[in-house]
Amino acid sequence: MLTALSIRNVVLIEALDLEFGPGLGVLTGETGAGKSILLDSLGLALGARADSGLVRNGESQASVTATFDAPAPDHRAFALLAENMIALEPGEPLIIRRTLKADGGSRAFVNDQPCSAALLRELGGTLVEIHGQHDDRGLLNPRGHRTLLDVYGRCDVAHVAAAYMAWRTAADALADARETVRSAARDRDYLTHAVEELARFAPGPGEEAALADERATMQKGARLTDDLAAVTECLTGSDGGLAQLRQAARRLDRIVVEYAPLADVLAALDRAVIEAGEAEERLSESAEALSFDPARLDAIETRLFDLRGLARKHQVQPDDLAALREEMADRLSAIEGGEEHLATLEAAVAAKADAYRQAAQELSTERQSAAQRLDAAVAAELAPLKLDAARFRTVVAPLDEGQWSAQGLDRVEYEISTNPGAPFAPLVKIASGGELSRFILALKVALAERGGADTLIFDEIDRGVGGAVASAIGDRLARLAQSSQILVVTHSPQVAARGAGHMLIAKSSDGTVTRTGVHALDAGERREEIARMLSGAEITAEARAQAERLLEV
């Protein structure tokens, strides 16, 4: 709810601070007093186009500040501000400020946090609806008609939205699966060859290291075997060192018999023969250990070469080839079982699409029923508002399949025919200014709208009517004001008399400077203003008496 409006240096307004309460508030004044300036000021705060002509003559800057009660926690304003990184604490009043320079530059703020004019305009639309002759928003915007009808008819849109999301999720899963199968199918031949090749080769984990170690051992044996053979040849054989030692020991043994001092030398030779014999045995053992099969070495080298070649081919490490084979085998199995999986997904999509269509058709039926009730409710409001020749209808028409959404299969639009036999057309295209405001009032009353803006402003909704029609307008505005804050700019005493609060807009001049001011009227002043509206410049006793009667209603 709008609680306060502060205006500085806007056209004829020098400084103005207004407070507003709940219910129906009326603003009256003579023609040219400045009522449009007041609405233009509020429009500026709500994000309207910044026209430098609004800046008061001789001033460098104008400003307007609008203060609103704290919105409810589920109000669209909270989500909108959060999306734009502007903090608003629950329970905190919402203060919108707009400044406009004489050169045309403007700035916007929400609770002293800068924002764009576009955000201000969107935020303002959630807080205030201004209905006037040139209004093209609110009820005149077909984009909101479907939501309004759903709220009026208490239509179960949530069920349809859930069914739609389930359908689209299943359809997305099917599309992903089809792309996976298509991509895998393109690789079928390659995968088949690769899996068969790897299966034949059968690489094992750690095989590369084992083969490399075995090959290194064999290559080492190949290098050492010749050297060992040469060493063995030096020791063994008829001319080898060991044979020479043994022959020397035998000869020395005969000499020792005759010459005992050589016994120690003989003992040394015996030890040398024993150790040389042990060395011969060790050489033999080592030669046997280092022996290898050239065919085995060739096989190892071939296997190792092929193993590393396969790894390079598939751009993996040799130890990962076994896992790669399993992965490729799984992909190949997915191709082979893909059609069956796709068939399952296609069946799921078809089932969820049917569920969505059924729910959406039920929603369409609900909307058709709600549209009939709304048409009857609006029709009942037209005659008292001097629109008895007009007809109203709610069009619920099917959308093309490509336009189906979480909101169902229908487009909804409100249309009117202002004269008998005239074709139906959108409200904004064929209604005159006064008719338009009265149609909007009839719709508002019939819809008893929930979830819209908390503050509604009607600009001269009573234009061109009087008497019983003006009384009917006042009655309906008062009914709306039971659930929303209503502000109305009016020339009708019947409407003004129904207000819970009354402000008088007046223009004054000291001969050099002209100013527009707004004054909240007390009970006596209010009676005088309504009497003026009834009688004109000269207020008569009859006018005062009639004003009293209107205020007593």
Side-chain angles (χ1 to χ4, degrees):
M1 182 183 77
L2 178 66
T3 59
L5 185 65
S6 179
I7 306 171
R8 298 291 184 270
N9 299 322
V10 176
V11 193
L12 298 179
I13 299 175
E14 186 174 24
L16 192 60
D17 295 294
L18 303 176
E19 293 184 356
F20 301 93
L24 176 60
V26 299
L27 295 95
T28 64
E30 295 182 355
T31 300
K35 296 185 289 294
S36 63
I37 300 174
L38 201 64
L39 294 181
D40 288 343
S41 298
L42 179 58
L44 181 66
L46 298 176
R49 187 176 67 86
D51 182 357
S52 61
L54 291 175
V55 180
R56 181 176 171 84
N57 187 35
E59 300 293 337
S60 61
Q61 177 176 286
S63 69
V64 182
T65 302
T67 303
F68 296 85
D69 274 337
D74 60 348
H75 197 284
R76 169 62 181 151
F78 272 105
L80 185 60
L81 293 175
E83 290 168 7
N84 289 272
M85 308 298 290
I86 294 179
L88 179 65
E89 296 295 329
E92 180 183 8
L94 184 58
I95 302 174
I96 296 175
R97 179 164 57 92
R98 185 92 177 273
T99 62
L100 174 62
K101 293 183 178 180
D103 62 7
S106 72
R107 298 186 66 191
F109 303 86
V110 175
N111 285 28
D112 289 329
Q113 299 173 74
C115 70
S116 67
L119 172 59
L120 206 62
R121 188 159 48 250
E122 189 174 358
L123 178 63
T126 70
L127 301 169
V128 178
E129 289 182 21
I130 301 178
H131 298 293
Q133 295 187 63
H134 307 294
D135 180 45
D136 61 354
R137 297 167 297 168
L139 290 175
L140 301 186
N141 189 341
R143 287 183 298 179
H145 290 178
R146 183 170 59 190
T147 299
L148 290 172
L149 180 64
D150 289 339
V151 171
Y152 174 79
R154 292 180 171 83
C155 301
D156 190 3
V157 182
H159 177 58
V160 174
Y164 179 80
M165 291 305 298
W167 174 33
R168 297 319 311 163
T169 299
D172 290 343
L174 175 60
D176 290 344
R178 281 175 172 162
E179 178 56 33
T180 299
V181 169
R182 278 195 297 269
S183 176
R186 289 193 294 267
D187 298 334
R188 183 194 298 268
D189 292 341
Y190 164 73
L191 289 173
T192 300
H193 170 75
V195 169
E196 290 176 353
E197 181 182 43
L198 289 170
R200 285 194 306 270
F201 194 82
E207 183 179 2
E208 182 197 25
L211 290 173
D213 288 345
E214 187 176 357
R215 184 187 65 170
T217 300
M218 287 188 173
Q219 288 174 337
K220 184 192 298 182
R223 290 195 306 272
L224 299 179
T225 296
D226 292 341
D227 291 336
L228 287 177
V231 172
T232 301
E233 182 64 26
C234 291
L235 287 176
T236 62
S238 58
D239 296 327
L242 184 56
Q244 295 292 331
L245 283 173
R246 286 173 178 162
Q247 184 178 0
R250 284 195 297 271
R251 288 182 178 180
L252 188 58
D253 184 53
R254 290 194 297 268
I255 295 172
V256 168
V257 173
E258 297 180 11
Y259 186 66
L262 292 177
D264 292 339
V265 176
L266 178 60
L269 280 176
D270 287 340
R271 291 194 299 272
V273 169
I274 293 170
E275 290 180 1
E278 292 175 354
E280 181 184 25
E281 290 177 6
R282 295 290 301 275
L283 285 173
S284 177
E285 292 172 359
S286 296
E288 183 177 352
L290 290 174
S291 65
F292 66 95
D293 182 359
R296 172 60 181 166
L297 176 59
D298 184 60
I300 289 174
E301 289 184 333
T302 300
R303 175 78 178 178
L304 193 57
F305 178 83
D306 291 342
L307 180 68
R308 290 172 173 171
L310 273 176
R312 287 193 300 271
K313 176 180 177 180
H314 294 290
Q315 298 182 341
V316 297
Q317 294 299 317
D319 284 348
D320 295 332
L321 284 171
L324 178 64
R325 175 184 175 277
E326 295 298 326
E327 178 186 338
M328 289 181 166
D330 290 342
R331 289 172 60 189
L332 197 56
S333 296
I335 296 173
E336 295 167 352
E339 291 303 323
E340 181 180 348
H341 181 55
L342 287 180
T344 301
L345 291 177
E346 286 168 354
V349 171
K352 287 179 170 57
D354 288 343
Y356 166 74
R357 277 191 290 268
Q358 181 177 347
Q361 289 291 351
E362 292 172 357
L363 176 61
S364 295
T365 301
E366 291 180 26
R367 283 173 174 159
Q368 294 286 356
S369 176
Q372 293 177 5
R373 298 196 305 274
L374 178 60
D375 292 352
V378 173
E381 297 292 332
L382 295 180
L385 295 174
K386 202 177 178 181
L387 294 169
D388 45 311
R391 292 175 297 156
F392 172 87
R393 73 178 183 186
T394 304
V395 177
V396 181
L399 292 166
D400 294 335
E401 185 171 346
Q403 296 176 297
W404 292 357
S405 70
Q407 283 70 49
L409 317 175
D410 316 301
R411 72 172 182 86
V412 175
E413 186 169 1
Y414 302 142
E415 295 183 343
I416 62 168
S417 168
T418 53
N419 296 296
F424 281 90
L427 273 170
V428 71
K429 292 189 179 296
I430 62 174
S432 65
E435 288 176 329
L436 190 59
S437 294
R438 280 178 279 149
F439 266 114
I440 290 171
L441 179 58
L443 265 172
K444 278 290 183 183
V445 173
L447 286 166
E449 182 185 351
R450 296 176 297 172
D454 296 328
T455 300
L456 282 72
I457 299 176
F458 290 91
D459 183 13
E460 299 187 3
I461 192 173
D462 50 11
R463 177 187 293 269
V465 300
V469 176
S471 294
I473 291 174
D475 176 64
R476 280 149 180 80
L477 288 171
R479 283 162 53 190
L480 272 182
Q482 294 175 5
S483 58
S484 300
Q485 181 189 45
I486 307 294
L487 300 177
V488 57
V489 176
T490 181
H491 289 286
S492 168
Q494 291 90 343
V495 173
R498 299 303 301 272
H502 192 151
M503 293 184 179
L504 175 64
I505 304 173
K507 186 165 57 176
S508 62
S509 175
D510 61 5
T512 57
V513 178
T514 301
R515 297 180 178 86
T516 289
V518 179
H519 173 59
L521 303 181
D522 60 24
E525 293 170 329
R526 187 177 181 196
R527 184 193 65 182
E528 287 296 299
E529 171 61 9
I530 293 175
R532 180 199 66 76
M533 297 171 72
L534 285 165
S535 62
E538 183 178 348
I539 303 175
T540 64
E542 292 80 0
R544 290 189 175 95
Q546 179 63 21
E548 286 283 2
R549 286 192 290 273
L550 289 175
L551 287 168
E552 290 173 357
V553 174

